[in-house]
Amino acid sequence: MKGGKSKTETRNAKLSVTKKPAKGGKGAAKDPNKPKRPSSAFFVFMEDFRETYKKEHPKNKSVAAVGKAGGEKWKSLSDSEKAPYVAKADKRKVEYEKNMKAYNKKLEEGPKEDEESDKSVSEVNDEDDAEDGSEEEEDDD
């Protein structure tokens, strides 16, 4: 070879694929304070439907059967019958948007001055323990 790359090296370079991290991997941690998204009209309907279905079919333990029956019932409802569920879903959506605005405003303000630094109390205590631990190991000799 005359100092250049071989055909296999160039071919491998062209064929290389960058892998995405697997699902469930270490990504951005979810904020537990973030408001949860509101239910759609169908899920608001399903809350009521599950109760009635369980009363009518007390021996049925299948979640799939309840979901299937609920989906069929939802499809058969007219728009006027769906209206109360749509109204509840819209009400929840407005509440969610209000909570999200407050949440985002709180994030923009940043951490309060009273809060501790990036190190948590346990990390600080771990450092103190490490210093103490080294002395104990020397005493054992």
Side-chain angles (χ1 to χ4, degrees), residues 3-137:
K5 291 183 178 179
S6 68
K7 287 183 183 179
T8 56
E9 287 177 349
T10 56
R11 191 177 301 137
N12 288 340
K14 290 179 185 176
L15 296 176
S16 66
V17 178
T18 55
K19 293 185 178 181
K20 294 179 183 176
K23 285 187 179 180
K26 295 181 181 178
K30 292 184 180 180
D31 187 357
N33 298 326
K34 185 175 181 180
K36 294 187 178 183
R37 293 178 63 193
S39 303
S40 67
F42 173 71
F43 284 101
V44 173
F45 162 76
M46 284 300 292
E47 291 171 6
D48 293 337
F49 181 78
R50 276 188 205 96
E51 293 174 18
T52 58
Y53 190 85
K54 285 182 182 179
K55 288 177 186 173
E56 293 172 7
H57 305 91
K59 293 184 179 182
N60 185 11
K61 302 288 184 185
S62 173
V63 175
V66 177
K68 195 170 193 175
E72 290 171 3
K73 175 81 172 174
W74 178 255
K75 287 178 184 177
S76 68
L77 293 177
S78 67
D79 289 341
S80 60
E81 292 172 318
K82 291 180 182 179
Y85 303 109
V86 173
K88 280 185 184 178
D90 289 341
K91 191 175 183 181
R92 290 180 183 184
K93 186 175 182 180
V94 169
E95 182 71 21
Y96 167 76
E97 289 171 352
K98 186 177 88 173
N99 290 340
M100 277 303 292
K101 284 182 183 177
Y103 173 77
N104 288 332
K105 190 174 184 180
K106 191 174 181 182
L107 283 181
E108 288 175 4
E109 291 174 1
K112 296 179 183 175
E113 293 177 13
D114 296 342
E115 293 181 9
E116 294 184 15
S117 66
D118 292 334
K119 283 190 174 183
S120 67
V121 175
S122 61
E123 289 175 341
V124 173
N125 289 340
D126 290 343
E127 288 178 359
D128 293 340
D129 293 343
E131 292 171 5
D132 294 339
S134 61
E135 293 172 5
E136 292 174 6
E137 290 175 9

